[in-house]
């Protein structure tokens, strides 16, 4: 009984981390399509995006501003609704990170900024640190969170 009390929660955490990583991987595929649109000056950035089907664990949404939102289903997280987003930014020639402008081909390197601590919409909470991929655990800025 003592072993089960330790092993079951650890296994549940492992399963949650696995599904969060799977969702981030699926979101990166969507993000790559959006990056192609940005490099071709397409506006809105989510035009023609092929979205994966929702899963029992999560659902993805691509915004016209180039973000990919991940909404996790509460039944797998003890009834809590969690959210994560992949933001599109440009590391420009001035060595600063700026947002993407609709219909303007970016000058510089397009980078992905993974944020799990954002709470938008406000009734959703950011994915807890123990479930988020390492690159998504710090919400202070793109340094250390940029996935390329």
């Amino acid at each position: 009984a003592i072993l089960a009390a330790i092993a079951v929660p650890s296994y549940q955490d492992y399963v949650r981390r696995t599904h969060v990583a799977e969702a981030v991987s699926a979101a990166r595929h969507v993000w790559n399509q959006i990056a192609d649109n940005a490099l071709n000056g397409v506006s809105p950035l989510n035009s023609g995006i092929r979205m994966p089907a929702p899963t029992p664990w999560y659902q993805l949404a691509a915004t016209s501003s180039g973000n990919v939102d991940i909404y996790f289903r509460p039944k797998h997280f003890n009834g809590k609704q969690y959210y994560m987003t992949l933001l599109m930014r440009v590391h420009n020639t001035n060595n600063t990170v700026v947002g993407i402008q609709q219909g303007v081909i970016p000058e510089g390197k397009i980078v992905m900024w993974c944020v799990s601590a954002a709470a938008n919409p406000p009734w959703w909470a950011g994915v807890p640190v123990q479930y988020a991929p390492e690159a998504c655990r710090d919400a202070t800025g793109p340094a250390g969170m940029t996935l390329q």
Side-chain angles (χ1 to χ4, degrees):
I2 293 172
L3 182 60
I6 295 169
V8 171
S10 294
Y11 176 74
Q12 290 171 333
D13 283 352
Y14 168 78
V15 169
R16 288 180 183 123
R17 281 193 311 273
T18 300
H19 285 286
V20 169
E22 173 191 334
V24 170
S25 177
R28 285 187 73 168
H29 288 289
V30 173
W31 186 90
N32 286 337
Q33 294 175 64
I34 294 172
D36 285 343
N37 282 351
L39 290 171
N40 290 303
V42 175
S43 181
L45 291 169
N46 62 352
S47 295
I49 299 299
R50 293 176 313 281
M51 296 296 294
T55 75
W57 279 83
Y58 62 86
Q59 180 171 349
L60 303 178
T63 69
S64 61
S65 61
N67 299 336
V68 181
D69 298 328
I70 308 169
Y71 299 96
F72 293 95
R73 308 223 188 270
K75 78 176 195 175
H76 300 293
F77 291 92
N78 300 322
K80 296 184 178 146
Q81 296 177 311
Y82 290 124
Y83 166 87
M84 180 182 286
T85 191
L86 304 182
L87 305 172
M88 182 169 295
R89 298 291 184 258
V90 175
H91 193 195
N92 66 20
T93 54
N94 296 329
N95 205 27
T96 58
V97 178
V98 296
I100 296 283
Q101 294 181 6
Q102 297 272 347
V104 177
I105 297 175
E107 293 184 21
K109 183 177 184 180
I110 296 178
V111 295
M112 181 169 61
W113 184 5
C114 179
V115 180
S116 65
N120 184 10
W123 56 89
W124 292 69
V127 172
V129 171
Q130 70 264 30
Y131 306 134
E134 188 173 332
C136 302
R137 292 182 183 172
D138 180 11
T140 59
M145 294 193 321
T146 302
L147 305 176
Q148 302 171 22

